[in-house]
Amino acid sequence: MASTSTSLIPLRGHGRKASFSSSPAKTALKKALRFSFSSRSSVVICVKSSSGAVKYNEVVVDEEMDKIRRLQNGSDVRGVALEGEKGRTVDLTPPAVEAIAESFGEWIIKALQKERGRPVEDVTVSLGKDPRISGASLSVAVFAGLARAVCLTFDLGLATTPACFMSTLLPPFAYDASIMMTASHLPYTRNGLKFFTKKGGLTSPEVEEICDKAAHKYANRLTKVSTMLNSPPKKVDFMRAYAKHLRDIIKERVNHPIHYDTPLKGFQIIVNAGNGSGGFFTWDVLDQLGADTFGSLHLNPDGMFPNHIPNPEDKTAMALTRAAVLENTADLGIVFDTDVDRSGVVDNNGNPINGDKLIALMSAVVLKEHPGTTIVTDARTSMELTRFITDRGGHHCLYRVGYRNVIDKGVHLNQDGVETHLMMETSGHGALKENYFLDDGAYMVVKIIIEMVRMRLEGSDEGIGSLIKDLEEPLESIELRMNIISEPKYAKARGREVIEAFRSYIEEGQLKGWALDACGDCWVSEGCLVDSNDSPAAIDAHMYRAKVPNEKNEEIGWVHIRQSIHNPNIAINMQSSVPGGCQLMTKVFRDKFLMVSGMGKTLDFSQVDKYARLGKMG
């Protein structure tokens, strides 16, 4: 008889359950395990192999912790707060939010103690929210969590994301930290949290640290019920102070020679708030400065967003705003997203200005004030935008997709002595050095309004759109998506494998003529996406951009591939300056990369295949 030996094989994987094959011995064992695993269980499973050897697998079951970790969304927290989405279950529950808020409060206290070199007391944290209907119950959870961390709390009520940050700076408030409860433009069923200190928004690694601490708290609590508040937070009308702050900026910088306090007199400006938090800009900023805002749309907050998605990239939002501008012969139309950290505009001729056009408009304004400055954008912007910026004497730095990535790059460039006054992502997130590097949709609009008034005072009868009349648009532009075929908890790793394989294929010359793109003059290399300086930024999602030439080695377009930090998929953006270029690049991508590398087995690339065959999405 063969001798039997045993050994302990610890499995240290995160969030992995015990796995069983279909052998009779293991099937019997599986049926015998009739107990449930808690998040703190350390389970030893004994399996007898066909050779008679008995092996033990020590499995750490931490599904409870994974519930919290999966809520991290880059530098934010986002999840499903209400039932109503097919295929999605509620995961942003009050107990989860309470654990995250408590961990954030503890994180703030620890950071302040390290900064000041002494114990701290009376740490103050404010909370604002957009009008989502889940906001009330989740707000209680936030305040309960902050109370557990022994923080003093202040309720800003309906607010905007930029206002929450400004509540840490503007006197007499100047709170130590702030939280904004929002899920931006996502459906009414979603919600989330954005975190701020006086230094700005938290980074992805910082939010990851907070969520990891919250995961331990959540998993080790015997009851998953949020604590009731013993005493309510102090209510504060901060939006009134924030609106005055914006009004004062317009008055001071326009410095109107006739009516200083009403510099917008004679201008008609239409606001489309999309039933989000942006209505205040109409009542408390524009109206107070003398503007005619008749014809404005969807100003009343409604957490169900009944008219359209509050999003400057949304076609319906832009079309309705355009129609209102033309019908009322207005001077400007404004579109805000839900929490007003993004915006887009419509000029007096009804031309929508978002994406590359909005970046060009802001670049034109900023380069007037700061000649030669560097402008950072994400790497999906067009070659035509680069020419627009450089023709005006500016420098264009392409960087990773993700507004936090773009803003942080601008901060780092300034620290390294490279004057960088504007950082913008094609989604509409834009930050200025003069405004604390804060992505503030209202402040962006303020800058545009000031320039519009200045043009009128200088005798120009052209609208704001005239500043970008020489911006050319790419001949072709397309975005395709490939879902990752994997369990959600493994999707990020699978996506990273695909992205890195794409990079390797280009470096090895397997995609003939394709080369990783680089702008070269701001310490960025490897596709304008990976820092090669002494203090590289953390990568929250892998991505690369490749330039594609024709037979004469002339660049005719580019392909940008990236992981989504919101969903388990990979996005491919392409632009081409020749007819049929995007379809040709898609075919090469499908045939020479996906099919040859074997990465196609990891992905549902049906959309890519369809576009390669038909040259159209539908």
Side-chain angles (χ1 to χ4, degrees), residues 306-322:
N307 293 290
H308 58 75
I309 297 171
N311 184 356
E313 294 183 289
D314 182 68
K315 291 181 180 179
T316 302
M318 272 295 179
L320 290 173
T321 309
R322 178 180 184 274

Side-chain angles (χ1 to χ4, degrees), residues 264-286:
L264 301 187
K265 187 176 181 180
F267 289 89
Q268 183 171 11
I269 302 174
I270 286 173
V271 175
N272 183 350
N275 301 112
S277 298
F280 86 97
F281 195 80
T282 308
W283 308 310
D284 296 335
V285 179
L286 299 179

Side-chain angles (χ1 to χ4, degrees), residues 485 593-595 597-605:
I485 304 171
F593 173 61
L594 290 178
M595 305 302 290
S597 69
M599 288 295 146
K601 297 177 181 178
T602 308
L603 304 163
D604 173 7
F605 61 93

Side-chain angles (χ1 to χ4, degrees), residues 366-367 370-376 389 393-398 410 413-414 418-423 521-522:
V366 169
L367 283 166
H370 306 283
T373 192
T374 293
I375 292 162
V376 182
I389 292 171
H395 300 278
H396 187 194
C397 173
L398 296 165
L413 286 175
N414 278 288
V418 180
E419 186 184 75
T420 306
H421 284 274
L422 175 65
M423 300 117 262
D521 61 354
C522 58

Side-chain angles (χ1 to χ4, degrees), residues 387-408:
R387 283 193 286 270
F388 181 91
I389 292 171
T390 54
D391 285 349
R392 284 160 176 73
H395 300 278
H396 187 194
C397 173
L398 296 165
Y399 200 56
R400 298 186 195 118
V401 175
Y403 73 93
R404 193 71 255 164
N405 295 328
V406 171
I407 294 172
D408 288 347

